[in-house]
Amino acid sequence: MTILAINGSPRKKWNTAQVLKSVLDGAAKAGAETKLVHLYDYDFKGCVSCFECKRIGGKNYGRCAVKDGLTPLLAEAAAADALVIGTPVYFGAETGETRSFIERLLFPYLTYTPGYAAIFPRKIPTAMVYTMNVPEDVMEQRNYGHMTGLAQGFMSRTFGACEVLTVNDTYQFDDYSKYLCTVWDAEAKAKRREEVFPQDLAKAFDLGERLAAGFKE
């Protein structure tokens, strides 16, 4: 029983990574084996639109034909009992590395048939974790729910189920005075970091427990 967490942030110890660690801590408490990997450690590109994963009778039918640094991770993700992908929000979307990974992960399993049925051979629980600088009201104003909903829909269609956890108004710097960042109230950011972020981590822990329970049922 293995839960794999994918960190799509270039920062290995900051918000997204910390939230993913809490997810895995919750899963580990529920008895799962866990692993965290960092996408920025891998040398890869997004989908190259070769369509070899869709070629009927082809040697790469149902799997990505591109051979690069991501190939072993795609195999590991396919073998996991649960999967969680975490990413900061850059310009209203996942990071470029995360988007490229999702393309390579999902496209081979989704078919050009009515309803775009998936051919992934099992049902596994999955989750998407989004960390972002903007507070909840701005996220709603900018309709970030459309972005997170698209990813949730594709993950659910492919694997069977997907939860979304959003972590808002995150703390970006240890010292805001070192950066041109006057739009934010540094004291308010620090206060939220101290008071609200632990609640976010607790939600992540609970998510990890649910992911672990999902493949025990």
Side-chain angles (χ1 to χ4, degrees):
M1 297 179 179
T2 302
I3 294 182
L4 178 64
I6 310 292
N7 177 25
S9 170
R11 306 171 82 177
K12 295 183 178 181
K13 297 182 179 180
W14 208 244
N15 299 309
T16 306
Q18 290 179 40
V19 175
L20 288 175
K21 182 179 182 302
S22 286
V23 172
L24 295 184
D25 286 346
K29 182 184 177 184
E33 295 182 7
T34 66
K35 182 176 180 179
L36 174 64
V37 298
H38 304 282
L39 277 184
Y40 280 75
D41 285 343
Y42 294 80
D43 184 13
F44 68 99
K45 293 181 173 61
C47 175
V48 299
S49 198
C50 67
F51 296 107
E52 288 302 309
C53 63
K54 310 258 181 283
R55 186 181 295 276
I56 298 172
K59 65 178 182 179
N60 291 297
Y61 180 78
R63 62 189 178 95
C64 184
V66 176
K67 300 298 185 285
D68 60 10
L70 194 63
T71 302
L73 182 58
L74 291 174
E76 195 170 359
D81 297 297
L83 183 65
V84 54
I85 301 172
T87 177
V89 174
Y90 292 169
F91 291 99
E94 301 91 355
T95 63
E97 300 291 287
T98 304
R99 177 67 187 190
S100 293
F101 172 74
I102 290 174
E103 290 174 358
R104 297 273 300 278
L105 175 69
L106 300 187
F107 190 58
Y109 301 124
L110 296 176
T111 64
Y112 287 142
T113 60
Y116 298 94
I119 58 172
F120 188 73
R122 300 175 291 124
K123 300 294 185 184
I124 64 172
T126 66
M128 293 292 302
V129 171
Y130 292 89
T131 64
M132 63 193 79
N133 199 24
V134 299
E136 291 84 352
D137 59 337
V138 176
M139 182 182 76
E140 184 174 349
Q141 291 168 11
R142 297 179 182 176
N143 197 25
Y144 281 10
H146 176 71
M147 176 263 298
T148 62
L150 282 175
Q152 182 180 30
F154 286 123
M155 292 285 285
S156 296
R157 179 178 295 170
T158 306
F159 299 115
C162 180
E163 284 195 40
V164 172
L165 174 64
T166 59
V167 178
N168 296 82
D169 205 1
T170 52
Y171 199 60
Q172 286 183 290
F173 316 113
D174 288 325
D175 185 351
Y176 274 69
S177 68
K178 294 180 179 179
Y179 304 91
L180 180 57
C181 198
T182 55
V183 71
W184 305 112
D185 182 334
E187 291 185 3
K189 283 283 191 181
K191 187 173 187 292
R192 176 154 181 140
R193 177 72 168 192
E194 181 179 351
E195 297 179 356
V196 179
F197 192 62
Q199 299 175 30
D200 294 324
L201 295 180
K203 292 177 182 177
F205 188 93
D206 293 343
L207 171 59
E209 289 187 312
R210 289 195 299 276
L211 286 172
F215 62 74
K216 288 181 178 179
E217 296 174 351

